[in-house]
Amino acid sequence: MNPPSLLPILCYPDPRLRTVAKPVAAVDDRIRELIERMLATMYDANGIGLAATQVDVHERVIVIDVSETRDEPLVLINPEIEWASPETRKGEEGCLSVPGIYDGVERSIAVRVRALDGQGKERTLDAQGMLAVCIQHEMDHLMGKVFVEYLSPLKRDRIKSKLVKAQREALRT
Ligand code: GNR
Ligand code: NI
């Protein structure tokens, strides 16, 4: 394949980020091409994860790479949380769809996820640390949820105004 082309990332408060993704019916060439383009987009943006929702594709596809070396791509198709630890931790999060904003979100410290990989093979993954946080963050996107929705309405409204203004200025340039 030619080098995969990058996909534009939707920016909060774009209403399309609220769309609930549908399950992938078959891991075919169309989905494999989507995965390649999502990985290229994630690496280009220096993100540790990307959900299809963020590139305006409303199917249950996630790509992740939490490695230091940026060479351990992980693909989760139709992911389901089998188990989430009752123990939680508040950690600083950011989002490629909410540029420049970072704030604390409470998440389970460990999760067990069942998903199809890029070959359509079913796998179970036990995650903790940053990977567990990222999986929960990406699965929220597939449900139409952005991390700022966990913040107070006051903080969320301030973030919304700031990003709307920034996007308005960007349009004028
Ligand atoms: O790149 C990202 N970094 C990050 C940091 C802390 C918690 C979650 C994330 S995910 C984010 C990429 C992104 O927006 N994925 O949806
Ligand atoms: Ni995000």
Side-chain angles (χ1 to χ4, degrees):
M1 214 207 324
N2 294 316
S5 48
L6 304 181
L7 296 158
I9 298 175
L10 299 178
C11 212
Y12 183 81
D14 192 309
R16 291 171 289 181
L17 286 169
R18 306 182 65 90
T19 313
V20 177
K22 293 183 167 63
V24 168
V27 183
D28 53 15
D29 286 352
R30 181 182 65 90
I31 294 297
R32 275 187 286 269
E33 173 164 4
L34 172 65
I35 289 164
E36 288 313 311
R37 296 182 73 184
M38 284 176 62
L39 281 167
T41 304
M42 175 187 75
Y43 287 124
D44 178 73
N46 291 315
I48 60 168
L50 188 69
T53 309
Q54 293 175 277
V55 294
D56 203 23
V57 175
H58 302 288
E59 298 182 67
R60 293 182 60 81
V61 177
I62 290 169
V63 297
I64 291 177
D65 191 338
V66 294
S67 75
E68 212 55 66
T69 43
R70 317 284 295 145
D71 60 356
E72 293 173 38
L74 186 65
V75 175
L76 302 177
I77 300 167
N78 298 344
E80 298 294 344
I81 298 272
E82 297 262 79
W83 175 82
S85 66
E87 188 183 344
T88 60
R89 225 193 98 174
K90 193 170 186 163
E92 193 90 331
E93 294 195 14
C95 180
L96 295 174
S97 296
V98 193
I101 306 291
Y102 303 88
D103 213 326
V105 179
E106 192 92 23
R107 303 279 191 191
S108 289
I109 62 165
V111 291
R112 170 171 286 181
V113 193
R114 186 162 37 86
L116 304 178
D117 66 15
Q119 277 73 250
K121 188 178 181 324
E122 186 163 291
R123 297 188 177 272
T124 301
L125 174 66
D126 283 304
Q128 55 180 326
M130 203 59 218
L131 179 57
V133 170
C134 190
I135 289 170
Q136 292 170 81
H137 175 113
E138 304 312 338
M139 288 187 68
D140 274 352
H141 277 302
L142 298 181
M143 295 306 293
K145 187 159 183 164
V146 176
F147 85 95
V148 297
E149 289 172 52
Y150 292 107
L151 308 178
S152 70
L154 177 65
K155 273 191 179 178
R156 194 181 333 117
D157 287 345
R158 283 180 176 159
I159 291 166
K160 205 179 287 183
S161 307
K162 188 172 169 173
L163 291 178
V164 167
K165 185 161 174 281
Q167 286 166 67
R168 224 189 297 125
E169 318 259 90
L171 267 180
R172 298 194 311 127
T173 63

